[in-house]
Amino acid sequence: MASSHHSQKLDLSFISKGIGSVVPTTPLVTFLEHVQETAQSTFVDRHFDPKRYVDLSLKYNLSTTEKAFDELPRTENGTVSVNDLEDFLTMYFLDAGNDTVYYDPPDFLPKPDGFLPRVENPEVRAWALEVHSLWKNLSTKVSDEVRKQPELHTLLPLPAPGVVPGSRFREVYYWDSYWVIRGLLASKMYETAKAIVTNLIYLVNTYGYALNGARAYYTNRSQPPLLSAMVCGIYDRNGDMELAKKALSVLIKEHQFWNSEIHKVTIQDAQGINHTLSRYYAMWNKPRPESSAKDKRYASKLLNDSEKQQFYRELASAAESGWDFSTRWMRNPSEFTTLATTSILPVDLNVFILKMELDIAFLAKETGEEGIAESFLEAAQARKRAINSVFWNEKMGQWLDYWLPTGTICQETQIWNACNQNPNVFASNFSPLWIDVFNSDGDLVKRIMRSLQNSGLLCAAGIATSLTNSGEQWDFPNGWAPLQHIIVEGLTRSGLQEAKSLAEDIAMRWIKTNYVTYKKTGAMHEKYNVEKCGEFGGGGKYLPQTGFGWSNGVALAFLEQFGWPQNHKIDC
């Protein structure tokens, strides 16, 4: 039987009333945070990854384990010896990763029929088949133990098997799944792709939104909303009408979440027209359980509890953005505690919601729901106008994030002010290109292409995330697969020959660096250093990870789209 915390239905009314807006985690998560903090002081920084401790599964019930933990011998300052803590962990827990089991995807073939027909170079084809075979390593399903006793685990009991990003990311993640699915479609693995969507639909039905990831400590935030794009991607390939019908009501529910009071901001433009846009806003004001010890260390600089609570909300909201972390969210790029994610209207989030509105309209039309189709087309047109009115900067030829004045209460209508646009260059400034309503305008595409070429973001091995080398992972010189894909796909879909050539050039650079790094390290990486072909990325708050779901997906999607000529070299 599922325990109550796994089946809590989210009542969004408390959000619209604006009270508290904190979704509690579970007693197990709270206890594991204590274990994590004890482990940090015991093991100091010896390979310490705080996430490991909130991913542990209990061997006995919570009260037995808590009692044993409380009885551990401690020194005067409260620390536990290495031996005592190691013995306790071995005795009372199954290690992180024991809550999932390997799943052999039935639709995996070592050499799928019609796989990447345009890849002619034998070296590149051999490597692409290796990347394709990584889906087997990353396919997991929730163990039977989690279903029998969900209260002993932080993993949520998803109904279907899934594909995880890899390394420390042992569970299904929301926005990663879009690019995983793009790769699975290139690998002809339609059933596996559909299973991922089944899991995300389950999360929306259970919680009211797709969670950041499938853990009890992620229930207080979502991630960039790409579920509609996943459904449409699969539907485009195989016309799965049953999936289209099943997904429609779920996507409408998700759309309500992103347009609920905490996310919604109204801006009045210079012509006096009101525009409604959305922002990231996590329902959380404490340290993130998967990084609790580190979050507290940063917050210790702040003076009082309300400042700390606000900082914790900004941290969790930056995690909701997927860009964790970047100077994009900071008032002062050199001071991490100035994160202000909830004070920013992000270009890309609104692009994803516009895509969702267009996708819902499309799926509604396909399934005969004309009324729904019409109202979502109207919503999409309104959001397109809002994106142009609030974000577009004619001088730069980019769409810029918009800063809200400090202390904004979201019920108030804000008056648009050009000074509130963030003039810093981020890859996300080009994200509207991804949507056909923007990339179908040839003159606009030419303007944006020139802006991209002069932006400083185009590097030897792909598109940099920003121009600021801050040491944060969503900043220079790191490049990330999803950002390459969004911009390349937008340029390609524009139909302009010069835009297609630029897109192909970026994709080729990206594939080369993936290939050469793979040959050097034997792995696909979550991010790459775009300044140097053949090097993976660094920085951030945890060690660089391998695996890696979305990198594999984008590499295969690019090879499917552009191929690789017989005589084209693949070295740096």
Side-chain angles (χ1 to χ4, degrees):
M1 193 182 88
S3 66
S4 60
H5 69 258
H6 284 313
S7 56
Q8 62 183 26
K9 290 281 183 286
L10 183 78
D11 171 12
L12 289 178
S13 65
F14 80 87
I15 297 176
S16 57
K17 299 186 190 88
I19 28 180
S21 49
V22 171
V23 171
T25 53
T26 64
L28 172 60
V29 171
T30 307
F31 167 62
L32 291 175
E33 283 185 82
H34 296 316
V35 175
Q36 177 199 96
E37 288 180 14
T38 304
Q40 187 174 33
S41 53
T42 296
F43 301 137
V44 195
D45 273 345
R46 214 176 38 160
H47 311 305
F48 180 76
D49 181 357
K51 185 178 184 298
R52 177 195 162 200
Y53 298 91
V54 288
D55 291 356
L56 298 171
S57 293
L58 306 188
K59 290 183 182 175
Y60 310 99
N61 67 30
L62 182 56
S63 55
T64 304
T65 314
E66 281 184 311
K67 187 168 180 291
F69 179 69
D70 292 341
E71 287 168 358
L72 283 172
R74 285 176 167 79
T75 61
E76 274 176 28
N77 66 359
T79 56
V80 176
S81 76
V82 169
N83 286 348
D84 285 343
L85 188 56
E86 280 177 347
D87 289 348
F88 167 72
L89 291 171
T90 308
M91 174 90 188
Y92 287 91
F93 297 95
L94 293 168
D95 202 2
N98 275 296
D99 44 14
T100 61
V101 291
Y102 173 71
Y103 177 76
D104 192 4
D107 54 354
F108 175 86
L109 294 169
K111 290 187 171 172
D113 218 22
F115 179 67
L116 308 184
R118 305 183 59 197
V119 176
E120 295 161 5
N121 180 309
E123 269 176 277
V124 179
R125 174 164 286 281
W127 170 65
L129 284 166
E130 283 185 52
V131 173
H132 159 73
S133 74
L134 295 174
W135 297 133
K136 281 173 81 82
N137 306 1
L138 299 172
S139 292
T140 64
K141 64 177 186 176
V142 172
S143 80
D144 291 343
E145 299 311 309
V146 175
R147 293 189 201 291
K148 283 183 209 142
Q149 293 184 284
E151 71 285 354
L152 303 182
H153 308 269
T154 60
L155 190 71
L156 301 177
L158 297 178
V163 176
V164 301
S167 301
R168 75 198 285 269
F169 302 112
R170 308 172 183 92
E171 51 286 303
V172 166
Y173 279 79
Y174 181 15
W175 81 313
D176 296 60
S177 295
Y178 173 71
W179 288 280
V180 166
I181 284 174
R182 289 298 299 258
L184 290 169
L185 295 177
S187 290
K188 315 291 184 191
M189 293 172 67
Y190 304 128
E191 285 310 303
T192 302
K194 188 175 171 175
I196 294 172
V197 167
T198 302
N199 286 331
L200 293 168
I201 285 175
Y202 163 82
L203 291 174
V204 178
N205 280 332
T206 307
Y207 296 95
Y209 45 96
L211 309 186
N212 181 147
R215 291 268 172 197
Y217 51 77
Y218 285 143
T219 52
N220 46 49
R221 62 180 191 252
S222 185
Q223 248 192 344
L226 287 159
L227 180 53
S228 72
M230 300 180 215
V231 173
C232 287
I234 295 169
Y235 183 79
D236 283 349
R237 294 281 177 131
N238 64 5
D240 189 332
M241 187 56 81
E242 179 206 4
L243 179 65
K245 285 181 171 155
K246 184 179 162 190
L248 187 59
S249 60
V250 176
L251 294 173
I252 292 170
K253 186 186 282 190
E254 188 188 30
H255 186 264
Q256 285 167 341
F257 170 73
W258 284 104
N259 289 281
S260 59
E261 292 300 323
I262 56 169
H263 293 119
K264 192 172 69 171
V265 179
T266 304
I267 305 281
Q268 190 176 90
D269 68 17
Q271 282 68 48
I273 298 165
N274 283 353
H275 299 283
T276 302
L277 290 160
S278 304
R279 61 172 177 168
Y280 292 109
Y281 195 99
M283 296 164 287
W284 192 240
N285 59 4
K286 298 190 243 330
R288 294 166 301 144
E290 75 279 13
S291 189
S292 179
K294 290 184 176 183
D295 288 3
K296 283 182 180 170
R297 208 182 324 161
Y298 287 112
S300 64
K301 290 184 170 185
L302 297 166
L303 300 175
N304 57 44
D305 281 351
S306 78
E307 278 185 17
K308 284 179 182 169
Q309 284 186 3
Q310 189 55 40
F311 171 63
Y312 292 141
R313 191 182 299 280
E314 301 300 347
L315 265 176
S317 301
E320 181 170 69
S321 80
W323 288 47
D324 44 343
F325 293 98
S326 170
T327 51
R328 184 180 174 195
W329 311 125
M330 298 179 205
R331 291 189 186 279
N332 170 359
S334 56
E335 180 44 66
F336 189 61
T337 54
T338 66
L339 277 174
T341 324
T342 63
S343 296
I344 295 165
L345 289 176
V347 174
D348 46 2
L349 171 60
N350 287 284
V351 165
F352 297 142
I353 297 171
L354 171 59
K355 172 96 169 94
M356 188 197 304
E357 288 160 349
L358 292 165
D359 290 342
I360 291 173
F362 168 75
L363 292 167
K365 203 164 164 35
E366 291 291 294
T367 56
E369 300 282 357
E370 295 294 339
I372 294 174
E374 230 164 279
S375 68
F376 274 90
L377 267 183
E378 277 172 31
Q381 282 157 356
R383 193 171 300 265
K384 180 197 172 186
R385 287 193 297 272
I387 288 171
N388 280 335
S389 184
V390 175
F391 298 138
W392 177 249
N393 184 293
E394 184 55 44
K395 187 162 156 265
M396 287 176 67
Q398 298 171 28
W399 291 269
L400 307 180
D401 290 339
Y402 187 82
W403 279 86
L404 298 166
T406 320
T408 300
I409 312 239
C410 278
Q411 281 68 11
E412 301 167 11
T413 297
Q414 306 298 315
I415 306 298
W416 186 84
N417 184 333
C419 307
N420 293 348
Q421 286 188 333
N422 181 354
N424 293 324
V425 176
F426 300 98
S428 48
N429 296 7
F430 299 91
S431 58
L433 258 191
W434 193 45
I435 310 291
D436 290 348
V437 295
F438 296 109
N439 66 36
S440 54
D441 175 342
D443 291 337
L444 180 66
V445 173
K446 283 179 189 163
R447 172 95 178 78
I448 293 154
M449 264 181 67
R450 279 197 299 278
S451 178
L452 178 62
Q453 286 165 317
N454 298 328
S455 67
L457 292 177
L458 286 187
C459 296
I463 300 168
T465 311
S466 80
L467 299 179
T468 309
N469 193 340
S470 64
E472 297 300 342
Q473 59 171 355
W474 287 83
D475 270 321
F476 190 86
N478 285 343
W480 292 81
L483 303 181
Q484 317 300 314
H485 189 252
I486 281 173
I487 294 172
V488 163
E489 192 164 66
L491 288 167
T492 309
R493 290 175 69 119
S494 74
L496 280 186
Q497 197 43 57
E498 54 190 300
K500 281 183 174 171
S501 301
L502 177 61
E504 187 162 3
D505 178 51
I506 296 166
M508 293 275 185
R509 293 181 199 198
W510 184 254
I511 291 167
K512 278 182 181 179
T513 201
N514 281 213
Y515 175 86
V516 174
T517 311
Y518 184 90
K519 289 295 177 193
K520 282 200 319 208
T521 63
M524 292 292 283
H525 295 261
E526 66 167 342
K527 54 187 180 267
Y528 292 85
N529 177 344
V530 292
E531 267 198 307
K532 297 175 185 152
C533 181
E535 290 201 10
F536 59 86
K541 311 285 184 234
Y542 56 81
L543 293 172
Q545 303 295 299
T546 59
F548 195 87
W550 62 18
S551 299
N552 309 354
V554 169
L556 294 174
F558 278 169
L559 287 171
E560 181 179 51
Q561 180 152 32
F562 298 108
W564 200 276
Q566 176 78 32
N567 53 5
H568 197 70
K569 292 218 315 262
I570 182 77
D571 51 5
C572 283

